[in-house]
Amino acid sequence: MLNIDTTLSVSSLNKLQIRNLNETEISDFADILKQANEDLNTPKAFLKSLTTDELQLVKKANSLASTINVDSLSAEGAQNLLSQPDGSDLVDLNNDGIVEIGESRSIHFPPVNAPLHVKTAWNKATEGLDWAEKARIELTLHSMVYGFNINGSGTKEALAPEEQWNKTNIDALSEYAYSNLEFRVNLEGWSDYNKQLNDVYDKFFTSILQHNTNASLSEFDVSK
């Protein structure tokens, strides 16, 4: 373990090491995050106050390919440059299921705005899958919730998280997912991927259904 006085998580420290930051760079980046957290200005204003070398460090810590042009950043892209590298405090300010980090954009499923129980259910449902398998299924579910974004068109209007993950919309997503799977099976048969989808769907939606049931029952717990 690095001897660094920092609020960075263990996972964040590991990611920074993987991104080839040395101990001094990690310490300096942790200090930048601490300053940003204490700064009363917007993330974009804070980034503009950094030196060229400090911006270069932010770029390296976020594993970006291009130089950071602060003026071209959205509020979301700027804020996420100053987040924990482990992704635990990323934001999706426009709630579109796509996270901007600097000028880069990446799909997240479940989205970062989803409740913790949804994220936990997904992690358990996809446990044991390799990165490529998990990413493929995440893209499938993301497209069901948000549609495909092709040149700015084709996406659905994003629901507020409390709506998207309530029982009505979870039931609708589950029905859509299994209907899509049935269509795939009719065309392809029970391929390995379709079996994998079925297994993930069963685990994911069963877990969420169980959570919703327990939450509903707790409302009638007279012992509270």
Side-chain angles (χ1 to χ4, degrees), residues 1-4 6 8-27 29-30 57 60-63 84-86:
M1 179 65 65
L2 295 177
N3 183 24
I4 295 174
T6 174
L8 291 172
S9 69
V10 172
S11 178
S12 289
L13 287 170
N14 289 338
K15 284 209 168 186
L16 291 175
Q17 288 178 292
I18 290 171
R19 293 169 182 174
N20 294 319
L21 275 72
N22 59 39
E23 186 167 344
T24 298
E25 289 174 322
I26 293 175
S27 181
F29 181 65
L57 179 57
K60 185 175 181 180
N62 283 280
S63 194
Q84 285 268 342
D86 64 8

Side-chain angles (χ1 to χ4, degrees), residues 4-183:
I4 295 174
D5 181 14
T6 174
T7 56
L8 291 172
S9 69
V10 172
S11 178
S12 289
L13 287 170
N14 289 338
K15 284 209 168 186
L16 291 175
Q17 288 178 292
I18 290 171
R19 293 169 182 174
N20 294 319
L21 275 72
N22 59 39
E23 186 167 344
T24 298
E25 289 174 322
I26 293 175
S27 181
D28 289 345
F29 181 65
D31 189 53
I32 287 174
L33 295 192
K34 183 174 182 294
Q35 291 176 47
N37 187 56
E38 297 171 350
D39 196 276
L40 298 179
N41 294 310
T42 66
K44 282 187 75 168
F46 176 78
L47 287 169
K48 287 194 124 185
S49 73
L50 298 181
T51 66
T52 300
D53 287 344
E54 288 171 329
L55 278 178
Q56 184 66 21
L57 179 57
V58 172
K59 171 192 168 184
K60 185 175 181 180
N62 283 280
S63 194
L64 300 179
S66 302
T67 300
I68 297 172
N69 181 354
V70 179
D71 288 329
S72 68
L73 300 180
S74 67
E76 179 179 316
Q79 184 169 338
N80 284 330
L81 285 176
L82 302 167
S83 67
Q84 285 268 342
D86 64 8
S88 60
D89 58 351
L90 290 170
V91 298
D92 179 8
L93 298 181
N94 60 351
N95 194 41
D96 63 353
I98 297 175
V99 172
E100 299 173 46
I101 302 178
E103 294 186 71
S104 70
R105 293 161 58 85
S106 59
I107 286 172
H108 282 245
F109 188 88
V112 298
N113 292 341
L116 178 60
H117 74 271
V118 173
K119 296 176 183 177
T120 301
W122 184 253
N123 288 335
K124 289 181 178 179
T126 56
E127 190 174 13
L129 300 184
D130 64 32
W131 179 87
E133 291 171 328
K134 189 174 181 180
R136 185 180 181 188
I137 300 177
E138 286 175 350
L139 178 60
T140 298
L141 268 294
H142 172 89
S143 68
M144 290 181 185
V145 175
Y146 297 99
F148 282 106
N149 188 342
I150 302 175
N151 294 326
S153 64
T155 56
K156 302 175 185 178
E157 183 176 353
L159 296 173
E162 59 271 19
E163 292 182 67
Q164 183 62 65
W165 303 106
N166 65 19
K167 184 179 185 305
T168 298
N169 285 301
I170 282 292
D171 287 347
L173 179 60
S174 174
E175 182 178 353
Y176 185 13
Y178 281 110
S179 176
N180 177 268
L181 176 60
E182 182 179 4
F183 178 77

